[in-house]
Amino acid sequence: MIATTDALRTAGPLPFTPEVAAATADIWSKVERVLPRDEWQQHAPYIERINRLKKSRNAVILAHNYQAPEIFHGVADIVGDSLALAKKAAETEADVIVMAGVHFMAETAKLLNPGKIVLMPDMAAGCSLAESIRPEDIRLLRETYPDAPVVTYVNTSAAVKAESDICCTSGNAVEVVESLGAERVLCLPDEYLAKWVATQTKVKILSWAGHCEVHERFTPDEIRRFRRAYDNLIVIAHPECPPEVIAVADFAGSTAKMIDYVRNEKPARVLMITECSMSDNIAAASPATEIVRPCIMCPHMKKITLPKILTALETLEPRVEVDPAIADRARLAVERMIAVGRRK
Ligand code: 13P
Ligand code: SF4
């Protein structure tokens, strides 16, 4: 919340008028359990203005599950995990795509829908996994393991995707690996996701030492402490967590699968081992479940704020472009991933 409030202050708050209150009343009813009223009154004028402007721009706002509730519930047209956002970006007929996520997600959207204007409200919203591997690393790995196809996580640059055979997300990594019919596969760059995939398949998985700076910080001791403090606690973890954390969780899955778990199983009390805005978003949507929060925010996701989304829509900048020299090969890797889901 701090980053959002700071950004609002810098831009100068817009007034919370009775007209704004009326236009945003239904959104307030969704977020009032997770946002204090005074904070809401700062967000609402931006929400009202963004929702008006996006219609006149024929724009669609895609928001990752880690976006703050005022973005996720307030202005997003499509929300989801990395896989859902990639698929929806490919399908949209809007002229403008605003990515309320991180840079690799916007790049993936541009790859899949190159004719559209793709706006990234803050170009500095990166990802520690995308930073952990370069195209030359992949070329070297191919020389060392010539028989192993290269599966790269979508959390990578387009240049890295271009060196890959196929992409995956945490929502389809096992399926993608098994679709290749290979004895061993390079699963890059997230070491912990690769190790989790290895527990779900007979294919031999080779990994790289990239980590998510949010998920690598959770520890099994912390989970045990929560279990001692709260009775009947169901622990669900993202596969970017270290294996010893996943080992003490009740369920592991992508952000969408974590949300589905809460929606379908309706646990009375749950601990979400992932970025903490997702807990806020689920708490807003699933009032029957008590969400216990260990809070670690992704500093990259939190660079996206309502004032920056508004500025992007007003100026139609900054735009994400992909170097044509790599775009076709990178697109192929992402499209192959989406085709795996279709074959099912
Ligand atoms: P998913 O939404 O694909 O589970 O990814 C998590 C993540 O860290 C995205 O940045
Ligand atoms: Fe990257 Fe981790 Fe942030 Fe996701 S949560 S964008 S993997 S640093």
Side-chain angles (χ1 to χ4, degrees):
M1 306 295 159
I2 292 164
T4 307
T5 310
D6 280 349
L8 284 171
R9 207 175 291 128
T10 314
L14 298 173
F16 183 71
T17 60
E19 292 74 28
V20 167
T24 55
D26 54 336
I27 301 169
W28 169 237
S29 70
K30 282 191 216 155
V31 297
E32 62 183 331
R33 295 179 65 249
V34 293
L35 281 180
R37 185 179 285 273
D38 58 343
E39 199 179 312
W40 167 252
Q41 293 187 353
Q42 290 181 301
H43 295 313
Y46 285 91
I47 291 173
E48 189 272 335
R49 209 174 271 199
I50 289 167
N51 285 338
R52 246 185 316 126
L53 187 55
K54 78 182 176 190
K55 285 200 188 94
S56 62
R57 292 283 197 213
N58 191 20
V60 67
I61 300 182
L62 272 53
H64 186 261
N65 291 324
Y66 293 162
Q67 283 304 314
E70 64 274 14
I71 294 174
F72 187 91
H73 293 287
V75 297
D77 301 289
I78 292 157
V79 294
D81 65 356
S82 312
L83 181 59
L85 296 186
K87 286 182 182 163
K88 296 291 177 187
E91 288 163 9
T92 186
E93 300 205 334
D95 296 322
V96 177
I97 299 172
V98 182
M99 183 54 74
V102 291
H103 189 267
F104 75 81
M105 296 175 180
E107 226 178 28
T108 306
K110 184 70 186 176
L111 282 173
L112 292 172
N113 220 332
K116 308 293 178 187
I117 294 173
V118 177
L119 302 174
M120 184 66 212
D122 187 329
M123 283 291 201
C127 170
S128 64
L129 281 166
E131 289 299 312
S132 74
I133 194 159
R134 302 161 305 170
E136 53 268 41
D137 297 322
I138 308 237
R139 289 196 286 270
L140 205 60
L141 285 164
R142 279 199 191 276
E143 282 173 26
T144 315
Y145 304 101
D147 62 308
V150 175
V151 176
T152 53
Y153 203 21
V154 282
N155 300 38
T156 47
S157 65
V160 163
K161 289 182 176 79
E163 297 294 331
S164 316
D165 294 296
I166 187 167
C167 287
C168 75
T169 72
S170 52
N172 63 9
V174 178
E175 219 180 324
V176 166
V177 161
E178 293 189 338
S179 75
L180 299 171
E183 269 175 37
R184 59 180 189 170
V185 164
L186 279 153
C187 196
L188 313 168
D190 187 344
E191 180 184 8
Y192 298 148
L193 176 73
K195 289 196 163 146
W196 176 75
V197 171
T199 66
Q200 311 290 308
T201 179
K202 291 194 170 66
V203 180
K204 185 169 164 30
I205 304 294
L206 304 166
S207 60
W208 180 255
H211 298 141
C212 161
E213 66 187 88
V214 173
H215 293 94
E216 70 175 351
R217 286 163 60 194
F218 292 105
T219 66
D221 278 351
E222 189 181 9
I223 295 175
R224 286 190 201 102
R225 271 200 302 278
F226 274 105
R227 284 209 196 268
R228 281 196 295 273
Y230 293 88
D231 291 336
N232 304 321
L233 187 63
I234 297 293
V235 179
I236 57 179
H238 195 277
E240 289 171 8
C241 293
E244 59 275 19
V245 168
I246 294 178
V248 295
D250 298 296
F251 173 78
S254 73
T255 55
K257 289 185 178 169
M258 294 171 86
I259 292 171
D260 286 348
Y261 184 98
V262 175
R263 202 175 283 147
N264 300 334
E265 304 294 321
K266 300 186 177 44
R269 185 178 265 171
V270 82
L271 174 65
M272 314 278 291
I273 305 297
T274 194
E275 211 271 352
C276 58
S277 285
M278 202 172 93
S279 296
D280 288 337
N281 294 330
I282 296 181
S286 300
T289 296
E290 180 194 348
I291 316 270
V292 178
R293 291 178 180 72
C295 209
I296 305 184
M297 282 197 177
C298 172
H300 308 289
M301 290 280 180
K302 293 303 164 295
K303 287 199 165 80
I304 307 303
T305 62
L306 290 170
K308 288 181 196 172
I309 293 174
L310 179 58
T311 304
L313 275 170
E314 280 169 351
T315 61
L316 293 181
E317 296 286 346
R319 296 182 191 193
V320 171
E321 304 292 348
V322 182
D323 179 352
I326 56 167
D328 286 348
R329 285 182 294 136
R331 182 179 307 113
L332 192 60
V334 181
E335 284 176 347
R336 282 184 182 144
M337 167 186 86
I338 292 175
V340 169
R342 278 202 216 104
R343 283 209 293 271
K344 212 174 157 187

